[in-house]
């Protein structure tokens, strides 16, 4: 691989970064609407969650809440690291990871911090694996993270329309 070539992990992490952090201001994106050069119009998960109040995040929309989706998304990223790094095979309470779905302002701030921390830890762990030869476990875990985060980002972004919040 040439010095300029991107390793397999960084290629996947670029897409995960866009899903979680949004597009790089003023640059093209792979799938989200581009973030404007001034930083506005960021449609990544973190910016989307930060634009919501605890009350909005706690509102039931067709049987779930945005707080529940955020909690579950953080849990999923945490499990990927536990699975890959620690060999923890569960059992995992996937259904319970959506609860509680209602949060107060302090809980909402803590939950948004949890999402950021889970994302940062997943990125850091993935970078420790980048020198390895790509295999099904490593690529499956990371691409699963991308698919899962983008699914819940899409759900949350649609739910924001129902509660009149976000961007």
């Amino acid at each position: 691989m040439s010095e300029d070539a991107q390793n397999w992990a960084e290629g996947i992490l670029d897409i995960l970064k866009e899903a979680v952090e949004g597009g790089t201001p003023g640059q093209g994106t792979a799938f989200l609407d581009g973030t404007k050069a001034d930083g506005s119009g960021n449609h990544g998960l973190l910016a989307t969650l930060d634009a919501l109040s605890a009350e909005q995040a706690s509102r039931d929309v067709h049987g779930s809440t945005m707080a529940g989706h955020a909690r579950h998304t953080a849990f999923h990223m945490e499990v990927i690291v536990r699975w890959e790094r620690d060999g923890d095979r569960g059992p995992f309470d996937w259904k319970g990871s959506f609860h509680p779905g209602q949060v107060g302002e302090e809980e909402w701030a803590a939950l948004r911090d949890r999402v950021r921390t889970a994302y940062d830890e997943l990125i850091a762990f993935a970078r420790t694996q980048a020198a390895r030869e790509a295999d099904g476990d490593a690529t499956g875990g990371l691409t699963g993270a991308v698919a899962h985060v983008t699914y819940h980002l899409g759900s949350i972004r649609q739910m924001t329309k129902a509660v009149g919040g976000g961007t």
Side-chain angles (χ1 to χ4, degrees):
M1 179 164 69
S2 75
E3 286 184 36
D4 295 352
Q6 186 180 54
N7 70 52
W8 66 271
E10 290 298 330
I12 297 170
L13 292 176
D14 281 350
I15 303 301
L16 182 61
K17 179 181 183 215
E18 183 177 325
V20 176
E21 297 180 39
T24 301
Q27 295 186 12
T29 56
F31 67 96
L32 286 181
D33 293 338
T35 303
K36 296 179 180 79
D38 67 1
S40 64
N42 181 331
H43 298 291
L45 179 62
L46 298 175
T48 298
L49 297 177
D50 285 344
L52 296 167
S53 69
E55 189 275 329
Q56 290 169 319
S58 296
R59 227 179 275 162
D60 185 279
V61 179
H62 303 297
S64 63
T65 68
M66 290 173 278
H69 278 269
R71 187 179 313 283
H72 174 77
T73 302
F75 181 74
H76 182 264
M77 289 187 283
E78 293 162 352
V79 165
I80 290 171
V81 173
R82 289 167 45 195
W83 182 281
E84 296 293 335
R85 183 191 64 206
D86 305 333
D88 182 355
R89 299 298 189 255
F92 304 109
D93 183 8
W94 294 108
K95 190 173 188 174
S97 69
F98 283 90
H99 302 288
Q102 281 70 41
V103 291
E105 290 299 333
E106 286 182 20
E107 294 164 307
W108 182 230
L111 180 52
R112 293 189 332 263
D113 286 344
R114 180 180 173 191
V115 172
R116 285 181 184 86
T117 299
Y119 166 69
D120 289 343
E121 289 177 1
L122 176 57
I123 295 292
F125 171 72
R127 287 194 170 129
T128 70
Q129 304 301 298
R132 294 180 24 193
E133 185 173 324
D135 63 25
D137 283 344
T139 58
L142 281 181
T143 57
V146 170
H148 194 260
V149 167
T150 56
Y151 170 83
H152 288 284
L153 170 61
S155 294
I156 291 166
R157 291 199 47 79
Q158 289 302 306
M159 293 169 82
T160 63
K161 294 175 183 180
V163 300
T167 55

Coordinates of all heavy atoms in Angstrom, one line a residue, residues 78-109:
E78 N -21.0 0.9 22.0 CA -20.3 0.4 23.2 C -20.1 -1.2 23.0 O -19.1 -1.7 23.3 CB -21.0 0.7 24.5 CG -21.1 2.2 24.8 CD -22.1 2.6 25.8 OE1 -23.0 1.7 26.2 OE2 -22.1 3.7 26.2
V79 N -21.2 -1.8 22.6 CA -21.2 -3.3 22.4 C -20.1 -3.7 21.4 O -19.4 -4.7 21.5 CB -22.6 -3.9 22.1 CG1 -22.5 -5.3 21.6 CG2 -23.4 -3.8 23.4
I80 N -20.1 -2.9 20.3 CA -19.1 -3.3 19.2 C -17.7 -3.3 19.8 O -16.9 -4.3 19.6 CB -19.1 -2.3 18.1 CG1 -20.4 -2.5 17.3 CG2 -17.9 -2.5 17.1 CD1 -20.7 -1.4 16.3
V81 N -17.3 -2.3 20.6 CA -16.0 -2.3 21.2 C -15.9 -3.4 22.2 O -14.8 -4.1 22.2 CB -15.7 -0.9 21.9 CG1 -14.4 -0.9 22.7 CG2 -15.7 0.2 20.9
R82 N -16.8 -3.7 23.0 CA -16.8 -4.8 24.0 C -16.6 -6.1 23.3 O -15.9 -7.0 23.7 CB -18.0 -4.8 24.9 CG -18.0 -3.6 25.9 CD -19.4 -3.4 26.6 NE -20.0 -4.6 27.1 CZ -21.3 -4.7 27.4 NH1 -22.0 -3.6 27.4 NH2 -21.8 -5.8 27.9
W83 N -17.4 -6.3 22.2 CA -17.3 -7.5 21.4 C -16.0 -7.7 20.8 O -15.3 -8.8 20.9 CB -18.4 -7.5 20.3 CG -18.6 -8.7 19.5 CD1 -17.8 -9.0 18.4 CD2 -19.6 -9.7 19.6 NE1 -18.2 -10.2 17.9 CE2 -19.3 -10.6 18.6 CE3 -20.6 -9.9 20.4 CZ2 -20.1 -11.7 18.4 CZ3 -21.4 -11.0 20.2 CH2 -21.2 -11.9 19.2
E84 N -15.5 -6.7 20.1 CA -14.2 -6.8 19.3 C -13.0 -6.8 20.2 O -12.1 -7.6 20.1 CB -14.1 -5.7 18.3 CG -15.2 -5.8 17.2 CD -15.1 -7.0 16.3 OE1 -14.0 -7.6 16.1 OE2 -16.1 -7.4 15.7
R85 N -12.9 -5.9 21.1 CA -11.8 -5.7 22.0 C -11.7 -6.7 23.1 O -10.7 -7.2 23.4 CB -11.7 -4.3 22.5 CG -10.5 -3.9 23.4 CD -10.6 -2.6 24.1 NE -11.7 -2.7 25.1 CZ -12.4 -1.6 25.5 NH1 -12.1 -0.4 25.1 NH2 -13.4 -1.8 26.4
D86 N -12.9 -6.9 23.8 CA -12.9 -7.6 25.0 C -13.4 -9.1 24.9 O -13.4 -9.8 25.8 CB -13.8 -6.9 26.1 CG -13.3 -5.5 26.3 OD1 -12.1 -5.2 26.1 OD2 -14.2 -4.7 26.7
G87 N -14.0 -9.4 23.7 CA -14.5 -10.7 23.5 C -15.8 -10.9 24.3 O -16.3 -12.1 24.4
D88 N -16.5 -9.9 24.7 CA -17.8 -9.9 25.4 C -18.9 -10.3 24.4 O -19.2 -9.5 23.5 CB -18.0 -8.6 26.1 CG -19.3 -8.6 26.9 OD1 -20.1 -9.6 26.9 OD2 -19.6 -7.6 27.6
R89 N -19.4 -11.5 24.6 CA -20.5 -11.9 23.7 C -21.9 -11.9 24.3 O -22.8 -12.5 23.8 CB -20.2 -13.4 23.2 CG -18.8 -13.6 22.5 CD -18.8 -12.7 21.2 NE -17.7 -13.0 20.4 CZ -16.7 -12.2 20.2 NH1 -16.6 -11.1 20.9 NH2 -15.7 -12.5 19.4
G90 N -22.0 -11.1 25.4 CA -23.3 -10.9 25.9 C -23.7 -11.9 26.9 O -22.9 -12.6 27.5
P91 N -25.0 -12.0 27.2 CA -26.1 -11.5 26.4 C -26.2 -10.0 26.6 O -25.8 -9.4 27.6 CB -27.3 -12.2 27.0 CG -27.0 -12.6 28.4 CD -25.5 -12.8 28.4
F92 N -26.8 -9.4 25.6 CA -27.0 -7.9 25.6 C -28.5 -7.6 25.6 O -29.3 -8.3 24.8 CB -26.4 -7.3 24.4 CG -24.9 -7.6 24.3 CD1 -24.4 -8.4 23.3 CD2 -24.0 -7.0 25.2 CE1 -23.1 -8.7 23.2 CE2 -22.7 -7.3 25.1 CZ -22.2 -8.1 24.1
D93 N -29.0 -6.7 26.3 CA -30.4 -6.3 26.4 C -30.7 -5.3 25.4 O -30.8 -4.1 25.6 CB -30.7 -5.8 27.8 CG -32.2 -5.5 28.0 OD1 -33.0 -5.8 27.1 OD2 -32.5 -4.9 29.1
W94 N -30.8 -5.7 24.1 CA -31.1 -4.8 23.0 C -32.4 -4.0 23.2 O -32.4 -2.8 23.0 CB -31.0 -5.5 21.7 CG -29.7 -6.0 21.4 CD1 -29.3 -7.4 21.4 CD2 -28.5 -5.3 21.1 NE1 -28.0 -7.4 21.1 CE2 -27.5 -6.2 20.9 CE3 -28.3 -3.9 20.9 CZ2 -26.2 -5.8 20.6 CZ3 -27.0 -3.5 20.6 CH2 -26.0 -4.4 20.4
K95 N -33.4 -4.7 23.5 CA -34.7 -4.1 23.7 C -34.7 -3.1 24.9 O -35.2 -2.0 24.7 CB -35.8 -5.1 24.0 CG -37.2 -4.6 23.9 CD -38.2 -5.7 24.0 CE -39.6 -5.2 23.7 NZ -40.6 -6.2 23.7
G96 N -34.1 -3.5 25.9 CA -34.0 -2.6 27.1 C -33.0 -1.4 26.9 O -33.1 -0.4 27.6
S97 N -32.2 -1.5 25.9 CA -31.3 -0.4 25.6 C -32.0 0.9 25.1 O -31.4 2.0 25.1 CB -30.2 -0.8 24.6 OG -30.7 -1.0 23.3
F98 N -33.2 0.8 24.8 CA -34.0 2.0 24.4 C -34.6 2.7 25.6 O -35.2 3.8 25.4 CB -35.2 1.6 23.5 CG -34.8 1.3 22.0 CD1 -34.4 0.0 21.7 CD2 -34.8 2.3 21.1 CE1 -34.1 -0.3 20.3 CE2 -34.4 2.0 19.8 CZ -34.1 0.7 19.4
H99 N -34.5 2.1 26.8 CA -35.2 2.7 27.9 C -34.2 3.2 29.0 O -33.1 2.6 29.1 CB -36.1 1.6 28.5 CG -37.1 1.1 27.6 ND1 -38.2 1.8 27.2 CD2 -37.2 -0.1 26.9 CE1 -38.9 1.2 26.3 NE2 -38.3 0.0 26.1
P100 N -34.6 4.2 29.7 CA -35.8 4.9 29.6 C -35.9 5.8 28.4 O -34.8 6.4 28.0 CB -35.9 5.7 30.9 CG -34.5 5.9 31.3 CD -33.7 4.7 30.8
G101 N -37.0 6.0 27.9 CA -37.2 6.9 26.7 C -37.4 8.3 27.1 O -37.3 9.2 26.2
Q102 N -37.7 8.6 28.3 CA -38.0 10.0 28.7 C -36.7 10.4 29.5 O -36.2 9.7 30.3 CB -39.2 10.1 29.6 CG -40.5 10.1 28.7 CD -40.8 8.8 28.1 OE1 -40.7 7.7 28.8 NE2 -41.3 8.8 26.9
V103 N -36.4 11.7 29.3 CA -35.2 12.3 30.0 C -35.5 13.7 30.4 O -36.3 14.4 29.8 CB -33.9 12.3 29.1 CG1 -33.4 10.9 28.8 CG2 -34.2 13.0 27.8
G104 N -34.9 14.1 31.6 CA -34.9 15.5 32.0 C -33.7 16.2 31.3 O -32.9 15.5 30.6
E105 N -33.5 17.5 31.5 CA -32.4 18.2 30.9 C -31.0 17.6 31.2 O -30.2 17.5 30.4 CB -32.5 19.7 31.2 CG -33.7 20.4 30.6 CD -33.7 20.4 29.0 OE1 -32.6 20.3 28.4 OE2 -34.8 20.5 28.5
E106 N -30.8 17.3 32.5 CA -29.5 16.8 32.9 C -29.3 15.4 32.3 O -28.2 15.1 31.9 CB -29.4 16.7 34.5 CG -29.2 18.1 35.1 CD -29.0 18.0 36.6 OE1 -28.7 16.9 37.1 OE2 -29.2 19.0 37.3
E107 N -30.3 14.6 32.3 CA -30.2 13.2 31.7 C -30.0 13.3 30.2 O -29.2 12.5 29.7 CB -31.5 12.4 32.0 CG -31.7 12.1 33.4 CD -33.1 11.6 33.7 OE1 -34.1 12.3 33.3 OE2 -33.3 10.5 34.3
W108 N -30.6 14.3 29.6 CA -30.4 14.5 28.1 C -29.0 14.9 27.8 O -28.4 14.4 26.9 CB -31.5 15.5 27.6 CG -31.4 15.7 26.1 CD1 -31.4 16.9 25.5 CD2 -31.4 14.7 25.1 NE1 -31.4 16.8 24.2 CE2 -31.4 15.4 23.9 CE3 -31.5 13.3 25.1 CZ2 -31.4 14.8 22.6 CZ3 -31.4 12.7 23.8 CH2 -31.4 13.4 22.6
A109 N -28.5 15.8 28.6 CA -27.1 16.2 28.4 C -26.1 15.0 28.6 O -25.2 14.8 27.8 CB -26.7 17.4 29.4

